[in-house]
Amino acid sequence: MPGSQLKRLKASLREKGVIGPQLSKKQKKRNAQDGKATNNRRLQKAAELEGIREEFNPFDLKHNVRGPKFQVTSNRPTTNATKGRPSEAKSLGEERRRQTLLVELNRRHKVGGILDRRFGENDPHMTPEEKMRERFVREKQSHKKGSLFDLEDDEPIEGLTHLGKSLSFDAPDLADDFEEEDLSAGSDAAGSDNEHRSSKRMRPFDPEAEDRDQIEGQPERKKTKQEVMKEVIAKSKFYKAERQAAKEADEDLRDELDMELPVLQDLLFNRKKVSGASGINGIESISAGKERMERDYDMRLRQLAQDRRAQPTDRTKTDEEKAQEGSEKLKQLEEKRLRRMRGEEASDSEEEDDDIDPQPDMEPTNGPALFTETPEDDFGLGKGIKTRPTATELGFDDEDDFLIEDNLIASDSDLEPVESDASSDEEESNADDDDEFTKGLLNEEETQNPVFSSRLMGSTISTETKEDPNGLPYTFPCPQSVGEFVETMQGIPIEHLPTVVQRIRALYHPKLDSNNKSKLANFAVVLIRYLTHLSNLAKLPPFSVLESLIRHTHSLAKSFPIEIANEFRSQLEDFGRSRPLSPNLGDLVILTAVGSIFPTSDHFHQVATPASLLIARNLEKVPKKLTDYAQGAYLSTLALQYQQVSKRYVPEVMNFCLNTLCALAPEKAKENPGYFPIHEPASGIRLINAQSVRVRKLSPADCVKGDISDEEAVTTKLAILASTTQLLDEAAELFNGKSAFFETFEPARNVLAHLATKPCRVKLPATLIDQVEKLRSKLDRMLQLARMARRPLELHHHKPLAIKTAIPKFEDTFDPHKHYDPDRDRAGLAKLKAEHKKERKGAMRELRKDANFMAREQLRIKKAKDAAYDKKYKRLVAEIQGEEGREANAYEREKQMRKRAAKR
């Protein structure tokens, strides 16, 4: 039979060393030397006592009712039968609810409270004496502050101030200039009573007059409240009278001006007074003047009624907002360009933005195809070129510094189109905006010239025509045909052609005259035709001049897109019909201008697409002469430039380049280098004996030269060969990443390998051989990367279908607490449901515990109230009973006394 609880407790304390024989002095000294501190011993003793308490309190642990589990269905070790400490968890939960839920329960249905704002009350670092001293100091400081208008205060008042300045009349800036004589001088007609009343009202309050009666040598007497108020009222009346006098003076002055108004009107409208000798003429002149005044009044009233009201303007935007708008605008234009490049249809929102009236799509059967703008066409030029940002808006000073990308020439833009009518912005523009268009067209000397200044200010007064230091006139007529432009340029060096165009554009700007718009539109068309005329001259002009004309055309295309587009289409149509396979230099310049002005990345464009087709048609022809190869190299360069953004593959360029390399090679290849059409070159085309010739660049003159010497032919062949090699390099960079890159450029590598063979190397210069070797090694690397990136074709990978079977599936490591559902979605759903169920049960358990706690607290409060009520009730009953008993006893005593008295 086990021992009693007390015996077990003593045995446990003895085993833990809590009680037992005391340590001797030697043992204590040894423990001190060994470093066993008393504090550690105390902590160890407390931990042992805590363990003993837990051991002797079996009800504080949660035990499994059915006993420990055995390893029957699981390989996991059996867990301890005791789980959790319900008493501790319950006490912790109870304490937490007392701190949170009980506080809310006590504050329910209660509003307000006391907020302790005492200084230092919640500061544990301050002693009570310091708190009281600090509170005393704060109280004295708060009472020391007095009001500025406190009349009972002994301290002198500093006076009223406004914005840091004194309002006293003693200040030098506010000297009182009031004089009674000024007021009395204007009211001579008033009666004596009014004079007396006004003088009494105007008399200022003199505080020194009352102080004169004071005895000298005595201290100043303090004014009473009544005296102070009288002084304030007197000053108020004085200031009011002063304002009234100023108002009357203003009214008198206004009456005088009204009387002199007719004379002022006559001066304004240049009317001459007619002095009539007779009274009848005077009356007639007065009546005529009245009629004329009424007629002028009615006319000006109509003008005011017809005047346009001022429109509210938007606030000035910051630089960040302007930059953000510019960025968003460019992003929208780029998105539209990408849609046009992919050939996608315009969205409904874009179609709603178009304000162009639908026109029938009619193409002329004869004559040049004109550009027509229709709402169904997503690639029109009516809005895109008009609304392009100008160079001035982008921060350039010169109108012709066209650093804008060609791809931003959106054919359909959401910006506001440039109106030909005078807009409100033009009406509200100031003098600085009038010459804004001359910033990029004229230099400083030309802008200050009186010829330009008079024209720009709208003056029609003729000025004497002068010339600049170069002998170039400042004014020119606006040519309306190529012949007129040729006559204008007679006697002027071709280098000054850009200056002439600039001055014509400045002199005939649309802002100066309503007719200038049509003149400048015709001048833009003439400029394109003159560009072709210059290119076809026997003496070729400098290419910088042609480039400047292209830039001017580019600038004019923003204002006159339809006219310029129609003219370009006419030039392309003439080129395609009259000389489809023999272009001249003018045709090549026109194709160059098309690539600089219009967006060549569009999937379909009414100007750029026909130009691309003409380039491809000329590259397909079989070259017969050396000029054909030079023209093909130039057209190939244009074709690659057209595809810089869209990166569409142009097979004609690759075929021409490979054919040119094979035709100009010193030796014919023994084997076919690739799958492309090879044309046998004409006699004398192959390059021979060029190992010592210097390689130069191709020039536009090489495209039209007919009879040339043998030395020039060799240099031209070398230039064509070098240019073709560079074209292959650019094409490899452009078409890199295409799926058919390997098949496209494998023939190019074979052709370059043929040029690098010994029979060809000995007849070519070293610089060209180095260029060929570098391009060959580059193509080898690119082809190897393309081969590695390519995946072979293969069938679709399908998941193998499992054969349905009825054999049960056994799990070696089966766990009953886990779910073995093959459907992952269903397993995940079941897991979520289990978690939701667990959380719901936990929430409901907590809510039940909260409800029980509130019920217990309410019951405790009710019991406390009932106990207090019962105690009070019993106390009152006891008091009443005591009083009744005392009265009853007194009654009995009185009764007995009366009986005794009766017996006596």
Side-chain angles (χ1 to χ4, degrees):
M1 183 176 179
S4 64
Q5 191 81 352
L6 182 58
K7 289 182 178 180
R8 290 175 56 198
L9 177 60
K10 288 182 178 180
S12 299
L13 292 175
R14 192 177 295 108
E15 289 177 1
K16 300 295 183 181
V18 178
I19 62 175
Q22 299 292 331
L23 296 177
S24 63
K25 293 182 179 180
K26 292 183 179 180
Q27 290 177 346
K28 292 180 180 180
K29 188 176 181 180
R30 190 183 303 110
N31 292 338
Q33 290 177 358
D34 295 341
K36 297 180 179 180
T38 307
N39 191 18
N40 295 340
R41 176 59 184 167
R42 188 183 298 110
L43 295 177
Q44 184 180 3
K45 187 176 180 179
E48 291 173 353
L49 288 176
E50 185 67 24
I52 292 173
R53 290 192 191 96
E54 293 179 359
E55 182 181 354
F56 278 83
N57 189 9
F59 301 101
D60 197 22
L61 301 175
K62 184 179 180 181
H63 298 271
N64 190 7
V65 179
R66 300 179 181 178
K69 294 183 179 180
F70 299 96
Q71 298 181 3
V72 178
T73 59
S74 176
N75 292 329
R76 294 190 302 177
T78 305
T79 58
N80 192 8
T82 59
K83 293 182 179 180
R85 300 177 182 273
S87 59
E88 290 185 5
K90 185 176 181 180
S91 62
L92 290 176
E94 195 79 9
E95 184 64 25
R96 186 173 64 252
R97 290 182 179 85
R98 287 184 184 279
Q99 295 176 358
T100 57
L101 194 60
L102 183 59
V103 175
E104 296 179 1
L105 181 64
N106 293 333
R107 291 185 59 85
R108 188 173 57 176
H109 305 306
K110 293 181 181 179
V111 180
I114 299 175
L115 183 61
D116 191 359
R117 295 183 180 273
R118 290 179 294 174
F119 182 82
E121 186 64 25
N122 298 324
D123 192 354
H125 302 290
M126 296 182 67
T127 60
E129 292 78 8
E130 293 177 352
K131 295 179 182 178
M132 296 301 295
R133 184 168 59 252
E134 189 66 26
R135 291 173 186 173
F136 180 75
V137 172
R138 294 292 181 94
E139 184 179 4
K140 286 298 182 183
Q141 290 178 352
S142 62
H143 285 300
K144 189 176 181 181
K145 295 179 180 179
S147 176
L148 183 63
F149 305 99
D150 189 3
L151 301 179
E152 301 298 333
D153 194 0
D154 296 337
E155 297 181 0
I157 301 176
E158 297 180 359
L160 299 177
T161 59
H162 179 65
L163 296 177
K165 296 181 179 180
S166 176
L167 296 180
S168 175
F169 283 94
D170 299 335
D173 297 338
L174 296 176
D176 188 8
D177 55 352
F178 170 73
E179 294 181 1
E180 290 190 12
E181 298 177 358
D182 297 339
L183 295 177
S184 60
S187 58
D188 295 336
S192 60
D193 295 339
N194 294 336
E195 291 179 359
H196 177 69
R197 193 181 303 112
S198 62
S199 62
K200 183 178 181 181
R201 184 175 65 249
M202 296 294 183
R203 186 180 300 115
F205 179 77
D206 190 4
E208 297 180 358
E210 296 183 1
D211 294 342
R212 292 170 188 167
D213 299 336
Q214 295 182 1
I215 303 173
E216 296 182 359
Q218 295 294 331
E220 184 180 358
R221 182 178 60 85
K222 183 179 179 181
K223 296 180 181 179
T224 62
K225 189 174 182 179
Q226 184 177 6
E227 292 175 351
V228 172
M229 294 304 297
K230 285 182 178 180
E231 181 179 355
V232 172
I233 293 172
K235 286 185 178 181
S236 176
K237 290 181 178 180
F238 169 69
Y239 296 144
K240 183 177 180 181
E242 198 174 30
R243 290 194 300 270
Q244 185 69 21
K247 183 178 179 181
E248 291 175 357
D250 293 341
E251 290 181 356
D252 294 340
L253 182 60
R254 194 179 297 110
D255 293 339
E256 292 178 3
L257 292 177
D258 291 342
M259 293 173 63
E260 297 177 359
L261 184 61
V263 180
L264 185 62
Q265 286 181 346
D266 294 337
L267 292 176
L268 288 175
F269 299 110
N270 296 326
R271 294 175 180 171
K272 297 180 180 179
K273 290 186 177 181
V274 181
S275 58
S278 62
I280 299 174
N281 295 336
I283 295 173
E284 292 178 356
S285 62
I286 292 173
S287 61
K290 288 183 178 180
E291 292 178 359
R292 185 167 56 254
M293 184 181 296
E294 292 177 357
R295 185 168 59 254
D296 294 343
Y297 175 79
D298 295 339
M299 182 180 64
R300 278 167 178 75
L301 183 62
R302 286 194 299 270
Q303 290 179 356
L304 290 176
Q306 294 175 359
D307 281 347
R308 188 174 181 179
R309 292 185 178 181
Q311 299 293 334
T313 58
D314 297 334
R315 66 175 181 84
T316 304
K317 298 180 180 179
T318 61
D319 296 339
E320 292 78 5
E321 292 176 346
K322 292 179 181 178
Q324 181 68 19
E325 287 186 359
S327 176
E328 293 177 357
K329 189 183 301 182
L330 291 177
K331 288 180 181 178
Q332 293 176 0
L333 293 176
E334 179 64 16
E335 290 176 359
K336 289 191 175 185
R337 186 196 64 77
L338 291 176
R339 286 198 297 269
R340 295 197 310 271
M341 186 178 71
R342 293 189 295 265
E344 297 178 358
E345 295 291 337
S347 60
D348 297 337
S349 60
E350 293 178 359
E351 293 179 357
E352 292 176 359
D353 294 340
D354 296 339
D355 299 332
I356 306 172
D357 297 333
Q359 296 177 357
D361 190 7
M362 299 174 60
E363 290 291 340
T365 55
N366 299 325
L370 298 179
F371 175 78
T372 56
E373 186 178 8
T374 60
E376 294 82 4
D377 191 2
D378 295 339
F379 310 102
L381 302 172
K383 283 186 174 182
I385 302 177
K386 273 186 179 180
T387 56
R388 290 190 60 196
T390 62
T392 306
E393 294 174 357
L394 295 179
F396 304 110
D397 294 334
D398 190 2
E399 182 71 18
D400 296 321
D401 286 341
F402 303 105
L403 300 181
I404 311 170
E405 296 181 5
D406 298 334
N407 303 319
L408 296 181
I409 311 175
S411 58
D412 283 329
S413 177
D414 290 339
L415 305 177
E416 296 180 0
V418 178
E419 298 288 340
S420 59
D421 301 335
S423 60
S424 60
D425 296 338
E426 295 177 357
E427 294 175 357
E428 298 173 359
S429 60
N430 51 17
D432 295 337
D433 297 334
D434 292 338
D435 59 344
E436 180 182 0
F437 62 92
T438 62
K439 290 180 181 178
L441 299 178
L442 303 176
N443 54 27
E444 185 177 359
E445 179 183 357
E446 293 172 349
T447 306
Q448 296 176 356
N449 191 283
V451 178
F452 287 100
S453 61
S454 61
R455 293 294 298 272
L456 298 180
M457 294 301 294
S459 175
T460 57
I461 301 174
S462 62
T463 58
E464 183 180 357
T465 304
K466 299 182 181 180
E467 297 180 352
D468 59 0
N470 297 324
L472 195 65
Y474 284 109
T475 58
F476 297 93
C478 187
Q480 300 299 306
S481 63
V482 179
E484 294 180 4
F485 199 19
V486 172
E487 292 178 1
T488 303
M489 290 301 299
Q490 285 182 358
I492 299 177
I494 194 65
E495 291 80 7
H496 298 310
L497 177 60
T499 306
V500 174
V501 177
Q502 284 182 353
R503 294 180 178 179
I504 292 176
R505 289 180 59 190
L507 290 169
Y508 296 93
H509 196 275
K511 285 185 178 181
L512 302 179
D513 192 0
S514 59
N515 298 327
N516 286 352
K517 186 173 178 120
S518 58
K519 292 181 180 179
L520 211 57
N522 295 334
F523 178 68
V525 175
V526 169
L527 207 59
I528 299 173
R529 297 174 182 173
Y530 189 72
L531 184 66
T532 308
H533 170 74
L534 276 183
S535 304
N536 293 329
L537 292 177
K539 183 181 179 181
L540 296 178
F543 204 77
S544 59
V545 175
L546 299 179
E547 184 181 4
S548 177
L549 290 183
I550 292 175
R551 290 190 173 192
H552 278 288
T553 308
H554 190 180
S555 177
L556 291 170
K558 293 180 290 185
S559 302
F560 312 103
I562 306 300
E563 293 81 358
I564 290 179
N566 285 332
E567 181 59 28
F568 271 110
R569 285 178 61 90
S570 301
Q571 295 288 338
L572 294 176
E573 180 118 2
D574 182 37
F575 171 33
R577 288 186 175 182
S578 60
R579 48 192 182 280
L581 300 180
S582 57
N584 53 33
L585 190 57
D587 299 331
L588 300 180
V589 173
I590 288 296
L591 293 174
T592 306
V594 168
S596 301
I597 297 173
F598 300 100
T600 57
S601 63
D602 289 0
H603 187 73
F604 174 77
H605 193 275
Q606 295 191 1
V607 180
T609 301
S612 300
L613 293 177
L614 284 175
I615 291 174
R617 183 179 181 183
N618 278 271
L619 289 176
E620 284 181 345
K621 70 177 182 180
V622 180
K624 300 296 183 182
K625 300 179 294 184
L626 199 58
T627 54
D628 295 340
Y629 289 99
Q631 291 176 0
Y634 189 88
L635 293 175
S636 299
T637 305
L638 289 180
L640 293 180
Q641 287 181 356
Y642 279 19
Q643 305 302 328
Q644 281 293 325
V645 179
S646 60
K647 296 183 179 181
R648 297 189 185 94
Y649 176 65
V650 184
E652 292 82 5
V653 174
M654 293 300 301
N655 293 337
F656 173 80
C657 292
L658 297 178
N659 250 311
T660 302
L661 292 179
C662 292
L664 296 178
E667 298 291 338
K668 183 179 179 181
K670 297 180 180 180
E671 298 179 358
N672 191 359
Y675 300 99
F676 61 91
I678 301 177
H679 307 294
E680 190 66 25
S683 59
I685 294 297
R686 292 193 180 276
L687 189 61
I688 55 175
N689 299 327
Q691 58 272 15
S692 60
V693 181
R694 183 180 178 183
V695 180
R696 65 174 179 86
K697 293 184 178 180
L698 277 177
S699 63
D702 296 331
C703 300
V704 293
K705 284 184 180 180
D707 300 332
I708 55 177
S709 61
D710 295 340
E711 293 181 359
E712 292 180 353
V714 171
T715 56
T716 305
K717 292 175 185 178
L718 275 178
I720 294 172
L721 203 58
S723 300
T724 307
T725 307
Q726 293 178 359
L727 286 174
L728 284 179
D729 191 2
E730 294 295 331
E733 293 289 343
L734 185 64
F735 301 135
N736 187 19
K738 298 288 185 181
S739 58
F741 181 82
F742 186 83
E743 286 77 9
T744 304
F745 285 91
E746 187 179 14
R749 181 185 60 180
N750 297 335
V751 173
L752 293 175
H754 169 66
L755 288 176
T757 56
K758 188 175 181 180
C760 295
R761 292 172 66 95
V762 297
K763 299 180 181 180
L764 296 176
T767 55
L768 185 59
I769 294 299
D770 293 341
Q771 184 179 355
V772 170
E773 288 292 343
K774 289 180 181 178
L775 181 57
R776 180 186 175 187
S777 59
K778 181 179 179 180
L779 286 180
D780 288 338
R781 291 193 304 270
M782 297 178 72
L783 290 174
Q784 185 178 2
L785 292 175
R787 184 188 292 273
M788 292 172 61
R790 173 176 291 181
R791 291 183 58 189
L793 296 177
E794 55 185 8
L795 296 176
H796 292 287
H797 289 286
H798 295 286
K799 184 178 180 181
L801 299 177
I803 301 175
K804 189 175 182 180
T805 177
I807 301 175
K809 182 180 180 182
F810 293 94
E811 293 287 344
D812 296 335
T813 59
F814 177 77
D815 188 359
H817 299 285
K818 292 184 178 180
H819 299 279
Y820 296 90
D821 194 345
D823 192 352
R824 293 184 177 274
D825 296 337
R826 189 167 57 200
L829 182 60
K831 184 178 179 181
L832 288 177
K833 287 183 178 179
E835 291 180 358
H836 175 263
K837 183 179 179 182
K838 183 179 178 181
E839 295 294 332
R840 183 172 176 272
K841 289 176 65 177
M844 293 181 64
R845 182 167 57 250
E846 293 295 327
L847 290 175
R848 282 196 300 269
K849 290 182 180 179
D850 292 345
N852 293 334
F853 174 77
M854 293 178 64
R856 288 197 304 271
E857 290 297 325
Q858 291 176 357
L859 182 61
R860 182 181 62 79
I861 294 172
K862 185 178 181 182
K863 285 182 178 180
K865 289 182 179 180
D866 293 345
Y869 177 79
D870 291 341
K871 184 178 179 180
K872 184 178 180 181
Y873 178 77
K874 290 178 180 179
R875 181 174 58 80
L876 293 175
V877 170
E879 290 179 358
I880 293 173
Q881 288 178 353
E883 290 179 0
E884 290 180 351
R886 285 194 300 272
E887 294 296 332
N889 292 335
Y891 178 74
E892 289 294 334
R893 285 194 300 270
E894 185 68 25
K895 186 177 179 181
Q896 291 296 333
M897 289 175 65
R898 288 181 181 182
K899 286 182 177 182
R900 291 191 196 102
K903 289 179 179 181
R904 292 178 183 176

